[in-house]
Amino acid sequence: NSPPREVSYSPAIPIEAFDVIIIDECHRSIYNLWRQVLEYFDAFLIGLTATPTKKSIGFFNQNLVSEYTHEDAVIDRVNVGYDIYRIRTKKTEQGDTIEAGTTVSIRDRLTKQERYETLDQDEQYLAKQLDRSVIAPNQIRTIIQTFKDRVFTDIFPDRSGEWLPKTLIFAKDDEHADRIVDAVREIFGEANEFCKKVTYKVGRQTAENTIAEFRTSPRLRVGVTVDMIATGTDIKPLEVVMFMRDVKSPAYYEQMKGRGTRVIGDDELLKVTPDAGKKVRFVLIDCVGVTETDKTESKSLETRPSVSTEKLMLQIAQGDRHSDSLRSLGNRMLRLDSKLNEVQRKRVAELAGKPLALIAGELIHATNDEKLTEAAQQQFNTAHPTEEQIQQAFEPQADELVKPFHNPELRELLETYRRETDQIIDDSADELIREGTGYNIERAEKTIASWQQFIADHKNELDAIQLIYSQPWKQRHLSYEQLNDLAEDIEQPPYNIAPQEVWQAYALLEKLKAKGAPPSAKLPALISVLRCALGLAHELEPFPELVNQRFDAWLKQQAQSRSLSTVEAKGDAFTEEQLTWLHRIKNQIANNAEFEIDDFDLIPDCREQGGLLKAQQLFGKELNTIVQELNGYLIA
């Protein structure tokens, strides 16, 4: 090895040549030869970096002049925040064992030549050996298939499903990237222009052309890279950053994650992702546990993903002062404000007494972990305050911050605006609307534990419901109040879960077979999970589908009871107009778990067609009996 080059004095460039030297990307440009150059000059040194390391801070004698945090950038709309979605597979987490007697393909690393061998003993491998000494194609396919299945239900439920959000996948090495590209093209059933590799091995010019295409082309939806787009490359339309490799360096991880934070104009985004609307966040999909080790300076601002915005505002108005709750609320209000027009912003400011963006910024700034810890350290005179001390110190400030949300009119207006912004783009048949992030194993287990505690705590109410189910179906009628009270209780502390979460947790842990996604409304979801808890069903079935099946069966029973043949029993027991009204009753029960006589004048679809008077004209004295029977039979 040759010795390092030395920097020596040059009269042509004296040491006093500069008064100030500004060092960009100083986390990587202050070492070796460049350090000698910097120390040669008698000048003030100013370092700039988005990812300061301990070594770079030490170089500047810990003289941190100015700091602009991720939270500051999100509040100022310089960057967007992010949510985390976790995908786990058995091989990724635990490795696996190939049993003795199995014929396996073995490939030479250098020549790529393959041969087949039959194992004479069990071959056990660890997760860290994946894509190193062991290649498991199904592990990659499982991850990509899960991404495809969940992207428009869990991750971006407000999209049409036609345009996959621009996605960047980080692979372990070039060969791993090749296998990922093949899996993406195969599982999405798309051609080469849908997914491309961007690594140094494809050649710099080809890679740079692909990067340019990735920025602007609607056809190229997925890029797979190792290091080439990890730092210094802006692809503003990116909305998904997927880690299929772990990263040990905190600074490098921040740089990689930063590929998704770039803001982009609405018109520019729509050119490449026509159903995107606005870019208000990106999603970090963690397939290897990269987010679960303490390496990151910037954190997701969303800490209460399972709680709806409406419920979160109510809980805070009723006394929730935890910093996680206020941070989540600030994050959601910031995203909502970015979607409002000036008239809406003015209306909110009038009710709140200040702009919504300012309220959000105050909530996010105040719940910064360092500030919370410093306040508790001063109040309790300890270097290591407990979580309880941190929250206790924060509570007086939290009381001031949440005052605007004590106004129910403001909460109602914000929820109205939120619903309007969520409904602008979604014209697909997908009814699953969720906010926040997907489930991981630990969270699913906690959800099941909370649900089981809820079942134990509400034994009396559930015994009463089970008694109702034991009655003949004509006498059954679960009241809306009973179900709504249970739904309200389960969403309150100490449970803090929604019926839809219970469904997804059971499905994820494979403790119950789930037919499809959970209903978007909480009462139908609650009925499905309650039926399993009461032993009335052994699999989770979407309640609206169950109602449709039972409605068809009820029509056949009606046809038979009115002396019609089973061949004619597809609704011929009623006139076409009566059948239309019966479908309206059925739809209301499917979505709200109850239909009452008053609903004829309350539901727009019924009221606009004549309401209760019209229904009485069509069904006469049978109307009350039919409504009662449908409530009992369809909810059974």
Side-chain angles (χ1 to χ4, degrees):
N1 294 331
S2 58
R5 295 173 60 187
E6 293 185 1
V7 175
S8 58
Y9 179 77
S10 170
I13 309 176
I15 62 173
E16 67 274 11
F18 303 107
D19 293 324
V20 176
I21 298 175
I22 299 176
I23 313 151
D24 194 18
E25 300 287 1
C26 67
H27 63 279
R28 62 184 179 188
S29 58
I30 57 174
Y31 310 112
N32 303 325
L33 178 63
W34 286 112
R35 177 165 188 155
Q36 297 180 63
V37 172
L38 295 173
E39 292 180 339
Y40 170 85
F41 292 103
D42 182 17
F44 291 104
L45 304 181
I46 299 177
L48 305 176
T49 178
T51 53
T53 64
K54 292 180 179 179
K55 192 172 182 179
S56 56
I57 292 175
F59 175 85
F60 290 96
N61 299 319
Q62 301 184 34
N63 186 17
L64 187 62
V65 177
S66 179
E67 185 177 21
Y68 189 67
T69 66
H70 170 70
E71 289 85 354
D72 292 324
V74 172
I75 291 169
D76 293 343
R77 296 196 177 91
V78 175
N79 286 341
V80 297
Y82 66 96
D83 295 331
I84 297 171
Y85 191 92
R86 186 75 164 90
I87 295 178
R88 297 171 181 264
T89 72
K90 178 183 176 182
K91 294 181 189 296
T92 309
E93 300 289 316
Q94 305 169 11
D96 209 342
T97 299
I98 308 173
E99 295 181 354
T102 303
T103 300
V104 297
S105 174
I106 298 179
R107 188 179 70 169
D108 187 281
R109 281 177 180 265
L110 297 177
T111 66
K112 311 302 180 188
Q113 185 176 358
E114 292 189 13
R115 68 183 189 278
Y116 291 93
E117 287 186 8
T118 301
L119 299 178
D120 55 8
Q121 62 182 8
D122 289 352
E123 182 71 28
Q124 187 174 8
Y125 62 89
L126 303 175
K128 64 183 180 181
Q129 293 175 262
L130 272 176
D131 304 299
R132 300 283 195 284
S133 60
V134 177
I135 295 174
N138 283 329
Q139 179 253 358
I140 295 175
R141 282 196 284 266
T142 299
I143 289 172
I144 301 303
Q145 184 67 56
T146 302
F147 174 49
K148 180 186 177 184
D149 293 343
R150 304 289 176 82
V151 66
F152 295 118
T153 57
D154 287 8
I155 305 173
F156 289 94
D158 58 340
R159 300 293 173 86
S160 67
E162 183 178 357
W163 298 90
L164 181 72
K166 286 272 186 177
T167 300
L168 178 64
I169 302 176
F170 285 111
K172 296 175 183 177
D173 53 36
D174 199 76
E175 288 188 17
H176 189 218
D178 284 332
R179 292 193 291 276
I180 293 171
V181 168
D182 290 343
V184 171
R185 290 172 179 172
E186 173 191 342
I187 288 169
F188 280 89
E190 296 286 351
N192 292 359
E193 64 267 16
F194 181 83
C195 175
K196 294 184 179 181
K197 183 175 72 169
V198 190
T199 68
Y200 291 104
K201 285 197 175 182
V202 301
R204 178 166 291 278
Q205 188 59 50
T206 300
E208 289 178 355
N209 291 341
T210 303
I211 291 172
E213 182 185 3
F214 200 18
R215 289 191 184 104
T216 59
S217 171
R219 295 176 303 170
L220 180 52
R221 308 311 303 172
V222 182
V224 183
T225 191
V226 179
D227 296 309
M228 193 164 187
I229 313 182
T231 62
T233 302
D234 278 352
I235 302 175
K236 294 181 179 180
L238 270 182
E239 294 184 275
V240 175
V241 176
M242 180 186 293
F243 281 84
M244 292 183 68
R245 59 173 287 193
D246 199 1
V247 185
K248 303 301 181 185
S249 165
Y252 195 44
Y253 170 64
E254 287 291 331
Q255 290 278 346
M256 296 166 76
K257 188 173 63 178
R259 299 313 96 203
T261 65
R262 302 312 195 248
V263 296
I264 183 173
D266 298 347
D267 292 341
E268 189 180 352
L269 178 60
L270 290 173
K271 288 178 183 177
V272 294
T273 307
D275 64 350
K278 292 176 176 289
K279 181 178 178 180
V280 296
R281 63 167 183 149
F282 79 96
V283 177
L284 191 161
I285 299 183
D286 182 2
C287 307
V288 292
V290 69
T291 61
E292 296 175 1
T293 54
D294 187 18
K295 65 167 69 73
T296 178
E297 293 294 326
S298 61
K299 297 182 179 179
S300 173
L301 299 177
E302 181 53 73
T303 52
R304 299 288 301 279
S306 62
V307 182
S308 70
T309 300
E310 182 179 21
K311 180 63 66 177
L312 184 60
M313 288 191 293
L314 181 61
Q315 289 179 356
I316 285 172
Q318 291 175 343
D320 184 353
R321 297 294 182 267
H322 198 284
S323 58
D324 283 353
S325 299
L326 270 64
R327 184 181 297 128
S328 286
L329 183 62
N331 179 47
R332 298 185 195 187
M333 293 301 102
L334 194 64
R335 290 181 181 176
L336 175 59
D337 182 75
S338 69
K339 300 177 183 179
L340 301 182
N341 58 43
E342 290 307 314
V343 174
Q344 292 171 325
R345 288 194 181 100
K346 184 177 179 181
R347 174 63 179 146
V348 170
E350 289 172 351
L351 283 176
K354 62 178 81 171
L356 185 60
L358 179 58
I359 294 174
E362 291 174 344
L363 289 169
I364 294 171
H365 275 305
T367 53
N368 176 274
D369 288 336
E370 290 185 6
K371 292 181 179 179
L372 291 171
T373 302
E374 288 174 4
Q377 287 171 336
Q378 293 178 4
Q379 180 169 329
F380 294 98
N381 193 26
T382 175
H384 303 288
T386 64
E387 173 65 15
E388 184 178 355
Q389 289 174 326
I390 289 173
Q391 297 306 324
Q392 186 177 338
F394 176 61
E395 190 167 344
Q397 185 181 7
D399 287 336
E400 290 296 318
L401 290 168
V402 302
K403 280 184 177 179
F405 297 94
H406 290 308
N407 183 348
E409 189 178 353
L410 174 64
R411 297 199 305 271
E412 183 177 353
L413 180 67
L414 291 172
E415 178 62 14
T416 299
Y417 286 161
R418 188 194 68 79
R419 290 181 181 275
E420 287 176 357
T421 57
D422 279 352
Q423 294 172 350
I424 289 174
I425 304 165
D426 190 2
D427 56 359
S428 70
D430 187 359
E431 296 182 355
L432 179 62
I433 305 296
R434 284 192 52 79
E435 295 180 73
T437 61
Y439 284 91
N440 57 37
I441 299 297
E442 290 83 0
R443 195 172 127 210
E445 289 174 343
K446 289 180 181 178
T447 298
I448 297 300
S450 295
W451 169 248
Q452 291 171 342
Q453 184 61 49
F454 173 81
I455 295 295
D457 293 344
H458 292 75
K459 186 177 186 303
N460 293 337
E461 296 98 313
L462 297 179
D463 285 346
I465 289 176
Q466 194 159 21
L467 182 62
I468 292 171
Y469 274 120
S470 68
Q471 302 297 317
W473 65 264
K474 287 188 177 182
Q475 299 174 23
R476 298 176 189 171
H477 187 180
L478 284 175
S479 76
Y480 175 88
E481 286 77 14
Q482 282 177 294
L483 293 170
N484 196 54
D485 286 347
L486 287 172
E488 290 290 334
D489 284 347
I490 197 173
E491 291 178 328
Q492 297 288 341
Y495 315 110
N496 292 323
I497 54 177
Q500 294 96 327
E501 287 183 85
V502 179
W503 176 303
Q504 290 195 333
Y506 271 123
L508 178 66
L509 298 176
E510 297 182 347
K511 294 188 175 183
L512 284 173
K513 182 180 178 182
K515 293 183 177 180
S520 57
K522 63 182 178 182
L523 293 188
L526 178 62
I527 291 175
S528 295
V529 294
L530 276 179
R531 283 173 51 77
C532 291
L534 297 173
L536 300 167
H538 301 291
E539 60 183 14
L540 293 165
E541 186 172 7
F543 181 66
E545 293 182 16
L546 199 62
V547 168
N548 287 333
Q549 295 169 10
R550 288 182 173 159
F551 181 68
D552 291 341
W554 181 81
L555 289 177
K556 291 180 180 180
Q557 289 190 11
Q558 293 298 308
Q560 292 171 348
S561 67
R562 294 166 192 243
S563 302
L564 293 175
S565 71
T566 56
V567 176
E568 302 170 310
K570 195 180 178 182
D572 295 347
F574 301 98
T575 67
E576 185 175 344
E577 190 175 13
Q578 285 176 324
L579 196 58
T580 298
W581 279 79
L582 290 173
H583 275 280
R584 289 171 183 150
I585 297 172
K586 180 261 294 183
N587 291 338
Q588 174 69 4
I589 291 173
N591 292 312
N592 295 276
E594 184 181 54
F595 188 98
E596 293 186 337
I597 293 296
D598 291 346
D599 287 335
F600 284 114
D601 290 328
L602 295 175
I603 300 171
D605 197 29
C606 293
R607 185 179 64 243
E608 292 168 4
Q609 301 302 320
L612 180 58
L613 286 177
K614 181 63 176 179
Q616 288 173 332
Q617 290 174 6
L618 287 173
F619 296 99
K621 294 180 180 179
E622 287 188 301
L623 182 62
N624 287 340
T625 302
I626 287 174
V627 170
Q628 183 179 1
E629 283 189 8
L630 286 174
N631 274 308
Y633 194 88
L634 301 185
I635 306 177

